[in-house]
């Protein structure tokens, strides 16, 4: 009895306080009320030590109260009809594709849950062009493509045939790619997002790069926004959340994340035993984002308004996501009993609603009014990025065919009954008898729906998505920048990294292209000897430099500036690569020919962020990836987690990437000069990977002959022909990177001690040679009666005598990949195996790529050709000081 009384008193007391607060709210507005609450909390803490429990979350309700919802600017009814048409054709596209070809795949449920999120944005927010000439950038969720294709079809951008060929791009007339791939649909898609996590990460760096362009005066219009749509399951990818503090630190209010919280991923619930919306709210709030939760639809407005004691919202906050999923697939009676049945007061709140009404209570993410309000608030928000957490149902509208069920992600077939239900639910005018093969449906051009859609897009600057190259080609850069390197260093020892940095510094000073260069470094500038650039061009900082740098008095002080040119990303290769992509695709996205140079530890490139490099290829990204401190034996001391001898093997996999392992200064100059020309003058969709090393070596002058330049680019040229024209024993030695110097040394030993005349070849790119050889083979196979094409390697080695020996600081498989186009067997030396913490000489001995092992390999090859005797080789093993019983580096 006493308990009940206290309870009753408390209720009364609470009500009084709430009434008072309501009064303050009505008189002074939310800001005044907020201040008052803060004062109260301060007071309670000071006077009585009341410690309010820390909470990173807000109650489980919409962030924007109904009273603050702006009026909907369009025709809700018309937009509902349009959305239904988009839904239908998206579904039909997937169902038809799977009828035609079992197992071709496709996703219905992702878009079914996010249709409202997209439609409101398409009709009111996504601006293909802003009034000041800027544009919005949109990262569409990869699995939602059917919705985008369906809309484009209704807009009249695709004929029906294209939709028929969804996921059948090789069909006659072409088709539509499964997911967003600019490589496959270069006029449509801009961002490949389907490798989950890469979209959110890139969106953040893109939004920041836009600010960089603006702060550096390269981009005038400033009104564009970056929108990124993603799944709630996708947020488990470390890339999704890994850089969110960059966005808040940089105050990127041009960035909006929309997370479709359908509570499910592929196998089942995202957080069956928890609440993904609350979890994400805490994370984003903690990171300083503006968080807008869109949980309940308008159907819930009255219930929540009348929930004066917060009983309902508390109950809504208790239920787990797994349980919500069950509520959504169950009947209204079940919903009533299990959600509201825990308290008679809750049951009373819904007694005026029938079971049927209860089961149809819409969620926030399916309600255009709520979604519109959230978008409006997001675009108006200043000083921080916004994330919208929208609660939806996966497979919304599919009913028995999958709505809210665990299997729904994979659902791609509907039987006739299910099609009929869907058709009726969304009012698509297709008669029962026509439903069998899920026909597409598009009202005539002059129908109100099509007119409305088109008018909306027109007022927002045009159709989206749409990819366009917005820049003009640049003029070729001044030849003098590059030609300096032709003469070599006249005996002075420099590393190829130093050569590269010197060239970069010159390019940065160029009056035409200098400003377009974007050096990107993940905290390794000093390792690469690039600190001189700090002072020369400054490090980008959106706020300038708010402190006096500790090394201010030195010449090369750490200079941060608002118009700084270097992107010092900190220790994030993934973030740096995202900046690289933003800069390397600005020629299309923003009409600005920025030329990124991303310089990093080569070990932490392909194997760490290979997926982003692959995405860059898909996006037709331009620029130079520069793998520093490369070479398994050239990077001394660092051991097996640093020493890279396989990035060039991984680079083989990216089709439009040109990969080079240069040995000499002039090779670097020739490659970069040609790269800028091909990418920015000729506008080719390629990008570059260059390894540079930190071993100081004397750089030779470029040999005479037109074929040298050509060879450098094609992957190989003869650096030096032997002067011993009459020698009987002969060898062709191939070297790359720093190991080229071991090859040259081996050549001298072989000539002097063993009477073997050696021609020395520089192989700058096994990848290019491999590509060319395959290309020729393929052509020859397809054209058996025509004069066969001759692979470049075959052509070069046509009349060369002797054994063939290649050595590089990479795995043996690289030279071996081209051996079949050589006139005789190739012996390949390389650095297969785990590295060691050791000095260069020891490492090269260990991996058997030093001069003595090259000599031995050459002699052994001559033995195999029966040109010398085994005893000669045995003696050589001894003379060279090689231990024949040493461990095999490949497996030790
Ligand atoms: C990196 C990566 N891993 C796995 C997948 C395979 N996959 C595709 S969709 C999906 C579930 C997506 O769930 P969610 O992000 O919640 O999106 P929803 O479809 O629910 O909107 C998975 C695991 C992928 N596309 N990318
Ligand atoms: Mg999901």
């Amino acid at each position: 009895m006493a308990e009940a009384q206290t309870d009753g008193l408390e209720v009364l007391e609470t009500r009084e306080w709430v009434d008072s607060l309501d009064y303050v709210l009505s008189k002074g507005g939310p800001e005044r009320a907020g201040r008052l609450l803060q004062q109260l909390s301060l007071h309670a803490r000071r006077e009585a030590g009341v410690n309010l429990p820390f909470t990173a979350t807000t109650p489980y309700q919409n962030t924007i109260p109904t009273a603050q919802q702006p009026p909907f600017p369009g025709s809700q009814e018309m937009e509902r009809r349009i959305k239904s048409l988009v839904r239908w054709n998206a579904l039909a596209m997937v169902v038809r594709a799977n009828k035609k070809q079992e197992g071709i795949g496709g996703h219905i449920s992702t878009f079914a849950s996010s249709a409202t999120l997209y439609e409101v944005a398409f009709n009111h927010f996504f601006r293909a062009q802003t009034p000041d000439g800027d544009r919005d950038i949109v990262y569409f969720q990869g699995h939602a493509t059917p919705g985008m294709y369906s809309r484009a079809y209704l807009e009249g951008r695709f004929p029906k045939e294209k939709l028929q060929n969804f996921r059948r791009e090789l069909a006659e007339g072409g088709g539509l790619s499964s997911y967003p791939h600019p490589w496959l649909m270069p006029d449509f898609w801009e961002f490949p997002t389907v490798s989950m996590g890469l979209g959110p990460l890139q969106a953040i760096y893109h939004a920041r790069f836009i600010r960089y362009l603006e702060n550096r005066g390269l981009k005038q219009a400033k009104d564009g926004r970056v929108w990124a749509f993603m799944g709630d399951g996708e947020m488990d990818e470390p890339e999704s959340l890994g850089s969110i503090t960059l966005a808040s630190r940089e105050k990127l209010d041009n960035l909006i994340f929309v997370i479709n919280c359908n509570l499910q991923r592929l196998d089942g619930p995202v957080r069956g035993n928890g609440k993904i919306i609350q979890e994400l709210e805490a994370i984003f709030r903690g990171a300083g984002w503006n968080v807008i939760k869109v949980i309940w639809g308008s159907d819930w407005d009255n219930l929540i308004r009348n929930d004066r004691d917060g009983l309902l919202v508390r109950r809504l906050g208790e239920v787990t996501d797994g349980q919500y999923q069950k509520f959504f697939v169950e009947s209204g009676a079940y919903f009533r009993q299990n959600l509201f049945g825990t308290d008679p007061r809750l049951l009373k709140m819904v007694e005026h609603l029938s079971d049927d009404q209860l089961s149809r209570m819409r969620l926030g993410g399916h309600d255009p009014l709520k979604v519109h309000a959230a978008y409006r608030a997001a675009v108006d928000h200043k000083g921080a990025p916004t994330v919208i957490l929208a609660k939806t149902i996966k497979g919304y509208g599919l009913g028995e065919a999958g709505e809210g069920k665990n299997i729904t992600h994979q659902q791609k077939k509907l039987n006739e009954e299910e099609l009929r239900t869907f058709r009726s639910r969304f009012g698509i005018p297709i008669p029962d008898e026509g439903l069998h093969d899920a026909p597409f449906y598009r009202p005539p051009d002059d129908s109100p729906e099509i007119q409305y859609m088109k008018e909306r897009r027109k007022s927002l600057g045009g159709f989206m998505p749409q990819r366009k190259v917005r820049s003009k080609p640049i003029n070729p850069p001044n030849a003098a920048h590059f030609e300096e390197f032709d003469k070599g260093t006249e005996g002075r020892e420099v590393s190829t990294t130093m050569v590269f940095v010197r060239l970069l510094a010159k390019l940065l000073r160029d009056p035409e292209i200098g400003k377009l260069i974007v050096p990107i470094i993940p905290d390794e500038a000093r390792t690469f000897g690039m600190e001189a650039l700090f002072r020369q061009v400054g490090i980008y900082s959106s706020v300038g430099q708010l402190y006096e740098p500790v090394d201010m008095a030195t010449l090369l002080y750490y200079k941060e500036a608002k118009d700084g040119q270097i992107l010092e990303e900190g220790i994030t290769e993934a973030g740096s690569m995202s900046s690289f992509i933003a800069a390397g695709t600005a020629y299309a996205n923003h009409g600005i020919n920025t030329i990124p140079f991303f310089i990093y530890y080569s070990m932490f490139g392909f194997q760490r962020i290979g997926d982003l490099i692959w995405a860059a290829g898909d996006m037709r990204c331009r620029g130079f990836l520069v793998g520093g401190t490369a070479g398994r034996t050239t990077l001394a001391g660092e051991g097996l987690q640093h020493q890279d001898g396989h990035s060039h093997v991984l680079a083989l996999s990216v089709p439009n990437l040109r990969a080079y392992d240069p040995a000499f200064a002039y090779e670097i100059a020739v490659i970069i000069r040609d790269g800028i020309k091909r990418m920015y003058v000729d506008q080719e969709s390629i990008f570059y990977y260059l390894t540079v090393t930190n071993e100081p070596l004397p750089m030779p002058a470029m040999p005479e002959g037109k074929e040298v330049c050509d060879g450098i680019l094609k992957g190989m040229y003869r650096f030096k022909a032997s002067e011993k024209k009459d020698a009987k024993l002969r060898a062709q030695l191939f070297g790359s990177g720093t190991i080229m110097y071991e090859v040259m040394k081996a050549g001298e030993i072989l000539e002097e001690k063993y009477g073997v005349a050696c021609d020395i070849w520089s192989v700058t790119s096994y990848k290019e040679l491999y590509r060319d050889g395959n290309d020729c083979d393929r052509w020859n196979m397809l054209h058996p009666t025509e004069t066969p094409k001759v692979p470049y390697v075959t052509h070069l080695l046509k009349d060369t005598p002797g054994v063939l020996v290649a050595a590089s600081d990479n795995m043996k498989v690289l030279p071996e990949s081209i051996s079949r186009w050589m006139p005789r067997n190739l012996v390949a030396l390389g650095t297969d195996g785990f590295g060691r913490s050791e000095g260069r000489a020891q490492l090269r001995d260990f991996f058997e790529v030093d001069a003595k092992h090259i000599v031995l390999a050459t002699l052994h090859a001559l033995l195999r050709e029966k040109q010398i005797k085994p005893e000669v080789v045995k003696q050589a093993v001894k003379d060279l000081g090689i231990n024949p019983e040493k461990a095999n580096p490949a497996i030790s």
Side-chain angles (χ1 to χ4, degrees):
M1 184 68 196
E3 213 179 14
Q5 235 180 24
T6 319
D7 207 15
L9 263 178
E10 257 197 32
V11 168
L12 216 71
E13 199 175 56
T14 308
R15 220 166 255 172
E16 273 178 26
W17 277 80
V18 171
D19 286 344
S20 307
L21 188 68
D22 280 350
Y23 177 79
V24 176
L25 266 170
S26 67
K27 294 285 169 198
E31 275 182 24
R32 166 73 193 116
R35 280 200 305 277
L36 180 64
L37 287 172
Q38 266 177 350
Q39 278 158 355
L40 279 176
S41 129
L42 254 178
H43 181 83
R45 183 180 303 230
R46 220 174 17 222
E47 296 303 313
V50 177
N51 258 330
L52 292 182
F54 169 77
T55 158
T57 55
T58 61
Y60 202 57
Q61 63 187 32
N62 296 345
T63 306
I64 302 170
T66 312
Q68 280 174 26
Q69 230 166 259
F72 194 76
S75 158
Q76 267 185 270
E77 172 53 19
M78 183 60 74
E79 293 188 22
R80 191 190 59 75
R81 294 220 300 269
I82 293 167
K83 184 166 61 188
S84 296
L85 294 170
V86 181
R87 283 182 186 286
W88 172 261
N89 290 301
L91 172 121
M93 185 168 46
V94 177
V95 171
R96 287 177 71 96
N98 285 276
K99 272 199 167 151
K100 204 158 218 164
Q101 197 167 330
E102 176 102 23
I104 196 80
H107 297 267
I108 300 172
S109 299
T110 300
F111 179 68
S113 68
S114 54
T116 302
L117 300 178
Y118 284 112
E119 278 303 304
V120 172
F122 272 121
N123 285 323
H124 303 285
F125 291 94
F126 290 164
R127 296 161 310 167
Q129 185 157 17
T130 67
D132 76 343
D134 208 351
R135 61 179 297 240
D136 286 351
I137 300 285
V138 183
Y139 289 76
F140 294 93
Q141 191 187 352
H143 300 85
T145 45
M148 311 312 132
Y149 291 144
S150 168
R151 180 167 240 272
Y153 162 63
L154 290 166
E155 289 167 341
R157 299 174 65 194
F158 290 145
K160 197 182 284 186
E161 292 67 38
K162 283 265 185 195
L163 261 65
Q164 308 266 35
N165 291 339
F166 172 55
R167 291 189 166 225
R168 293 173 63 243
E169 294 158 278
L170 303 178
E172 210 181 312
L176 300 173
S177 66
S178 51
Y179 301 119
H181 294 303
W183 186 260
L184 303 174
M185 295 176 65
D187 302 328
F188 196 80
W189 293 116
E190 297 182 302
F191 309 108
T193 47
V194 85
S195 174
M196 294 190 301
L198 302 193
L201 176 71
Q202 288 183 69
I204 292 172
Y205 279 88
H206 196 158
R208 203 273 303 254
F209 186 70
I210 289 171
R211 288 282 160 80
Y212 167 92
L213 290 173
E214 291 164 359
N215 279 325
R216 288 198 45 225
L218 291 171
K219 177 172 173 289
Q220 270 35 317
K222 300 182 178 180
D223 195 25
R225 288 184 200 100
V226 176
W227 297 76
F229 286 71
M230 58 207 86
D232 47 358
E234 181 170 11
M235 303 319 284
D236 284 339
E237 290 287 0
E239 289 88 347
S240 303
L241 293 171
S243 291
I244 59 172
T245 51
L246 171 77
S248 41
R249 193 162 61 242
E250 293 285 310
K251 301 188 171 41
L252 298 179
D253 50 19
N254 59 343
L255 176 65
I256 299 169
F257 270 20
V258 181
I259 306 182
N260 176 20
C261 298
N262 54 25
L263 314 187
Q264 285 178 249
R265 43 181 166 72
L266 194 151
D267 286 342
V270 177
R271 292 288 182 274
N273 294 313
K275 281 192 141 55
I276 188 63
I277 291 182
Q278 298 300 87
E279 186 178 323
L280 291 173
E281 177 186 37
I283 293 169
F284 280 97
R285 262 163 69 101
W289 284 52
N290 172 41
V291 180
I292 303 177
K293 294 196 288 191
V294 184
I295 302 181
W296 310 111
S298 305
D299 299 330
W300 293 78
D301 281 355
N302 276 336
L303 288 183
I304 288 171
R305 190 178 309 120
N306 295 331
D307 179 35
R308 301 271 300 163
D309 305 327
L311 213 60
L312 175 61
V313 170
R314 199 176 323 134
R315 172 67 187 139
L316 295 173
E318 282 166 11
V319 178
T320 60
D321 281 357
Q323 196 59 56
Y324 270 118
Q325 195 190 344
K326 173 86 172 153
F327 288 157
F328 301 146
V329 300
E330 281 291 344
S331 66
Y334 181 95
F335 193 32
R336 183 190 306 276
Q337 190 189 337
N338 290 282
L339 178 67
F340 302 93
T342 52
D343 188 318
R345 289 169 294 179
L346 289 174
L347 277 177
K348 196 158 173 51
M349 289 173 84
V350 291
E351 70 184 0
H352 63 290
L353 296 168
S354 69
D355 285 350
D356 191 41
Q357 280 172 314
L358 266 186
S359 73
R360 282 192 283 115
M361 301 261 288
R362 254 194 314 184
L363 293 179
H366 297 302
D367 184 337
L369 292 183
K370 303 291 181 195
V371 173
H372 172 264
Y375 288 172
R376 188 74 263 153
V379 301
D380 289 344
H381 191 79
K382 292 277 168 277
T386 292
V387 57
I388 293 167
L389 304 170
K391 181 158 164 142
T392 62
I393 297 176
K394 190 145 176 171
Y396 185 71
L398 290 182
E400 281 306 302
E403 180 167 298
K405 295 183 179 170
N406 279 337
I407 49 89
T408 194
H409 188 85
Q410 305 283 65
Q411 179 61 292
K412 23 204 133 270
K413 289 182 196 165
L414 264 65
N415 64 31
E416 225 165 306
E417 173 61 32
E418 290 160 345
L419 280 174
R420 201 176 312 139
T421 313
F422 191 91
R423 182 266 338 248
S424 304
R425 174 161 180 182
F426 294 107
I428 309 298
I430 301 175
D432 283 357
E433 55 282 11
L435 272 177
H436 174 67
D437 55 352
F440 296 120
Y441 175 76
R442 181 177 188 267
D445 269 338
D446 58 359
S447 63
E449 289 88 350
I450 302 296
Q451 293 286 312
Y452 186 96
M453 280 179 106
K454 287 191 163 172
E455 180 282 317
R456 288 281 73 224
R457 284 316 312 162
K458 198 164 162 216
S459 78
L460 292 161
F463 294 128
M464 286 171 84
Q466 194 168 17
R467 184 182 176 279
K468 268 198 280 222
V469 173
R470 296 169 167 83
S471 66
K472 298 253 172 343
I474 65 168
N475 293 319
N478 187 348
H481 296 325
F482 306 96
E483 286 166 359
E484 166 200 319
F485 297 92
D486 292 358
K487 61 180 196 301
T489 53
E490 290 157 354
R492 211 163 33 88
E493 291 185 344
V494 297
S495 68
T496 48
T497 307
M498 287 162 75
V499 170
F500 164 73
V501 173
R502 182 169 169 78
L503 176 57
L504 185 65
K506 278 160 142 282
L507 292 174
L508 281 162
R509 274 193 285 269
D510 182 277
E512 274 204 34
I513 66 160
K515 60 182 182 303
L516 298 174
I517 308 280
V518 183
I520 303 166
I521 310 159
D523 197 31
E524 291 284 357
R526 293 183 202 279
T527 312
F528 305 127
M530 294 176 69
E531 59 268 46
L533 298 182
F534 291 168
R535 181 66 193 279
Q536 185 188 332
V537 293
I539 295 161
Y540 172 71
S541 154
S542 58
V543 293
Q545 191 152 37
L546 306 177
Y547 59 96
E548 186 185 337
V550 64
D551 50 2
M552 187 72 174
T554 65
L555 197 61
L556 309 177
Y557 79 95
Y558 197 85
K559 179 184 160 197
E560 298 197 57
K562 228 173 152 166
D563 61 353
Q565 197 159 351
I566 301 171
L567 285 172
E568 251 281 4
E569 297 295 14
I571 309 160
T572 165
E573 283 74 15
S576 305
M577 187 63 204
S578 301
S579 284
F580 178 86
I581 293 173
T585 53
Y587 73 92
N589 297 329
H590 303 287
I592 303 166
N593 280 307
T594 34
I595 308 173
F597 285 84
F598 170 24
I599 304 103
Y600 56 91
Y601 252 116
S602 70
M603 190 65 160
F604 306 129
F606 281 85
Q607 76 173 9
R608 175 125 193 177
I609 50 158
D611 203 11
L612 279 163
I613 298 176
W614 182 260
D618 188 348
M619 288 163 87
R620 298 160 182 271
C621 177
R622 296 173 184 165
F624 296 90
L625 298 171
V626 183
T629 62
R632 187 106 66 210
T633 69
T634 306
L635 176 56
E638 293 285 327
L640 73 80
Q641 216 159 46
H642 280 73
Q643 291 161 345
D644 163 40
H646 52 280
S647 63
H648 278 285
V649 178
L650 300 175
L652 285 174
S653 61
V654 183
N656 52 348
L657 179 80
R658 312 198 94 81
Y660 290 93
D661 184 18
F664 304 132
Y666 62 83
E667 292 178 354
I668 293 180
V670 166
I671 294 162
I672 292 182
R673 180 182 182 182
D674 187 64
I676 293 178
K677 177 180 171 297
R678 290 184 65 172
M679 294 186 287
Y680 292 92
V681 181
D682 304 341
Q683 308 262 305
E684 284 189 56
S685 288
I686 54 175
F687 63 132
Y688 282 72
Y689 177 51
L690 235 79
T691 38
V692 291
T693 69
N694 62 357
E695 181 174 4
L697 291 161
M699 294 289 143
M702 180 146 88
E704 296 288 320
K706 187 179 114 352
E707 71 287 353
V708 173
C709 254
D710 199 38
I712 292 171
L713 299 171
K714 284 184 161 163
M716 173 171 156
Y717 65 97
R718 182 161 31 207
F719 173 68
K720 188 170 159 283
S722 174
E723 281 160 15
K724 299 196 162 182
K725 302 287 173 222
D726 305 326
K728 268 210 339 254
L729 299 176
R730 307 204 70 103
Q732 306 297 321
L733 305 183
F734 309 95
S736 313
T738 43
I739 297 302
M740 183 64 181
Y741 289 78
E742 297 294 328
V743 169
M744 294 193 289
K745 238 185 281 171
E748 284 168 20
I749 299 171
L750 282 162
E751 294 211 339
E752 282 165 22
K753 292 220 170 122
Y754 298 95
V756 184
C758 299
D759 289 350
I760 311 286
W761 299 79
S762 175
V763 181
T764 50
S765 175
Y766 281 107
K767 187 177 182 193
E768 281 302 291
L769 300 173
Y770 173 75
R771 204 183 45 75
D772 168 72
N774 272 309
D775 201 36
C776 294
D777 277 2
R778 177 182 170 276
W779 192 90
N780 295 341
M781 177 181 78
L782 294 170
H783 305 86
T785 60
E786 293 180 49
T787 316
K789 287 191 178 182
V790 180
Y792 183 61
V793 184
T794 313
H795 163 76
L796 286 185
L797 298 181
K798 188 165 60 203
D799 299 321
T800 56
V803 295
L804 311 173
V805 179
S808 85
D809 221 356
N810 298 292
M811 293 178 70
K812 295 176 184 178
V813 70
L814 270 186
E816 278 164 2
S817 73
I818 61 159
S819 65
R820 66 179 181 279
W821 299 296
M822 293 186 161
R824 289 171 298 283
N825 278 340
L826 173 73
V827 178
L829 301 181
T831 55
D832 297 36
F834 284 129
R836 289 289 188 284
S837 329
E838 260 300 353
R840 280 185 192 117
Q842 291 76 4
L843 286 167
R844 286 173 189 167
D845 175 51
F846 175 74
F847 279 107
E848 300 160 14
V849 291
D850 54 5
K852 62 180 184 290
H853 282 94
I854 299 168
V855 170
L856 177 60
T858 309
L859 294 176
H860 185 250
L862 286 165
L863 165 65
R864 276 203 318 215
E865 298 291 320
K866 299 198 170 50
Q867 296 186 30
I868 56 175
K869 298 238 155 53
E871 289 69 31
V872 178
V873 185
K874 190 172 177 202
Q875 187 58 41
V877 171
K878 204 162 157 224
D879 294 347
L880 292 165
I882 294 171
N883 168 13
E885 307 312 326
K886 77 190 271 288
N888 182 354
I891 48 159
S892 57

